Amino acid sequence: MLLVAGLGVLAPVPYSRVATLVGLAVLASASPWLALGLAAWGAWRSRPGPGIAVMLALGALVGLKQLAASLALPAAVGTVLVPPSAALSVAAAWLAEPHAGRRPLALLLVAAGALVAGQLGWAWAAPTSTERLVRAERIDAVHLFYGGILAEHDPALLGALVKAVPNRDEAALALGWERALSLGWRPQRAEGHAVEVARALEGAGRGGEAYRLLSRHQRTGEVDGFMSLMERVGGATVDWHQGQVGALVPGTIELDRELATNGEAVLEFTASGALGAGVLTLEGSSFEGPPRVTVHLDARPPLELAVDGAVDLPLGPLEPGPHRLRVRFDDDRVGAGGDRNVRVRRLVAR
């Protein structure tokens, strides 16, 4: 914006150049890539000198960078100001060229700008906030009305805002992050709920998104603990900064979780240092054969075993930092003569 203002002051000010700048500015608010294309075409027609050519190249690079980023990072899609800035940079560079400012193109852009301004006015004049949001979506201008609609604190409108702009956090947090995730929210920082939201994302199979969310926060406490846990579970290098998840060992963790039907028991814990051994105690009730379970510890290969009565399963050494232990039971059987089930008793880590 400073570039536009500066060039607007330094450039000659025939009405056609001023009109062109205004037209491009309004057009860019709703159709930044169209504004960029028109400005670049006008610049090409004006045959700019070396200095202006450099500015045109910079404006184009900003636009291309944003386009590339939007393909890899969901957050980049909602950066509203970058494409308009690219368009206006090119437009301002063109307008600063002494031989630019062709009247026909200026009039065309003024007409386009007036059309967009009319659409924005049509959206603003909507009788209800719901209709205003619908109209704003049609012209891709929700960002201009976002704050006003958010301030109404209407759950239905908040849900609609989340759907319309999924990569902003304000409406999602006002609505409730659980509901917002079900509506397609793509959290950026989730202030005050970052670890909770990251856990929900990981549980939904969106672990990469969860890790990126936490990486936008200072790596301390719970944030560090859960990031370290995701690193270990994913088989990556663990960069642990003493953050804790679950109970702290060495010691004994009494779980006493019964798996009476097919299901899973999960235990998260943190080793304060390198430990020589961990032992998991299971107890099985047999019926037409002993129950079988699969035990997962972090990213290690799973262990499968039959649990006939009380069984102590050695887990081997434990590295410092957070760990996740999962006991999966998929072998349930029940009948008139009995019931097959498993009880996860305790973990002892020394």
Side-chain angles (χ1 to χ4, degrees), residues 163-243:
K163 289 182 177 180
V165 192
N167 49 328
R168 284 188 65 166
D169 289 354
E170 299 95 317
L173 294 177
L175 179 65
W177 63 263
E178 300 97 332
R179 174 66 176 150
L181 284 176
S182 71
L183 295 175
W185 176 40
R186 297 194 294 269
Q188 302 304 299
R189 288 187 59 85
E191 292 289 356
H193 302 277
V195 175
E196 298 171 278
V197 173
R199 282 189 173 277
L201 289 172
E202 190 208 25
R206 298 161 65 182
E209 191 176 347
Y211 191 84
R212 289 191 295 273
L213 168 64
L214 292 183
S215 69
R216 300 180 187 122
H217 295 263
Q218 186 176 3
R219 185 159 177 162
T220 59
E222 278 190 290
V223 171
D224 170 60
F226 195 59
M227 288 182 73
S228 300
L229 180 63
M230 286 191 288
E231 288 165 351
R232 195 181 304 281
V233 170
T237 301
V238 179
D239 184 23
W240 183 47
H241 295 260
Q242 307 299 315

Side-chain angles (χ1 to χ4, degrees), residues 31-63:
S31 303
W33 294 109
L34 177 58
L36 177 61
L38 287 172
W41 175 66
W44 176 78
R45 289 286 302 275
S46 69
R47 294 181 176 83
I52 301 302
V54 171
M55 300 179 73
L56 290 173
L58 290 176
L61 284 175
V62 173

Side-chain angles (χ1 to χ4, degrees), residues 122-329:
W122 172 69
W124 184 260
T128 66
S129 294
T130 301
E131 180 61 24
R132 183 176 300 124
L133 179 57
V134 171
R135 293 182 182 183
E137 281 191 273
R138 290 178 185 170
I139 59 174
D140 194 25
V142 176
H143 59 282
L144 298 177
F145 302 93
Y146 191 98
I149 296 174
L150 177 69
E152 297 190 27
H153 303 291
D154 182 329
L157 285 173
L158 292 174
L161 273 180
V162 170
K163 289 182 177 180
V165 192
N167 49 328
R168 284 188 65 166
D169 289 354
E170 299 95 317
L173 294 177
L175 179 65
W177 63 263
E178 300 97 332
R179 174 66 176 150
L181 284 176
S182 71
L183 295 175
W185 176 40
R186 297 194 294 269
Q188 302 304 299
R189 288 187 59 85
E191 292 289 356
H193 302 277
V195 175
E196 298 171 278
V197 173
R199 282 189 173 277
L201 289 172
E202 190 208 25
R206 298 161 65 182
E209 191 176 347
Y211 191 84
R212 289 191 295 273
L213 168 64
L214 292 183
S215 69
R216 300 180 187 122
H217 295 263
Q218 186 176 3
R219 185 159 177 162
T220 59
E222 278 190 290
V223 171
D224 170 60
F226 195 59
M227 288 182 73
S228 300
L229 180 63
M230 286 191 288
E231 288 165 351
R232 195 181 304 281
V233 170
T237 301
V238 179
D239 184 23
W240 183 47
H241 295 260
Q242 307 299 315
Q244 183 175 338
V245 171
L248 191 65
V249 293
T252 300
I253 302 174
E254 297 287 350
L255 188 58
D256 202 27
R257 168 77 182 276
E258 183 175 11
L259 298 174
T261 59
N262 290 337
E264 187 175 74
V266 179
L267 173 63
E268 294 177 356
F269 61 95
T270 300
S272 60
L275 302 180
V279 177
L280 178 66
T281 299
L282 305 168
E283 186 177 313
S285 299
S286 298
F287 174 64
E288 298 179 359
R292 298 189 63 83
V293 298
T294 304
V295 179
H296 301 260
L297 178 61
D298 304 326
R300 299 180 189 180
L303 303 171
E304 297 184 6
L305 71 155
V307 186
D308 192 359
V311 174
D312 288 334
L313 175 65
L315 299 176
L318 297 171
E319 299 83 6
H323 297 266
R324 178 181 288 159
L325 177 69
R326 296 188 294 121
V327 179
R328 184 74 191 174
F329 176 45

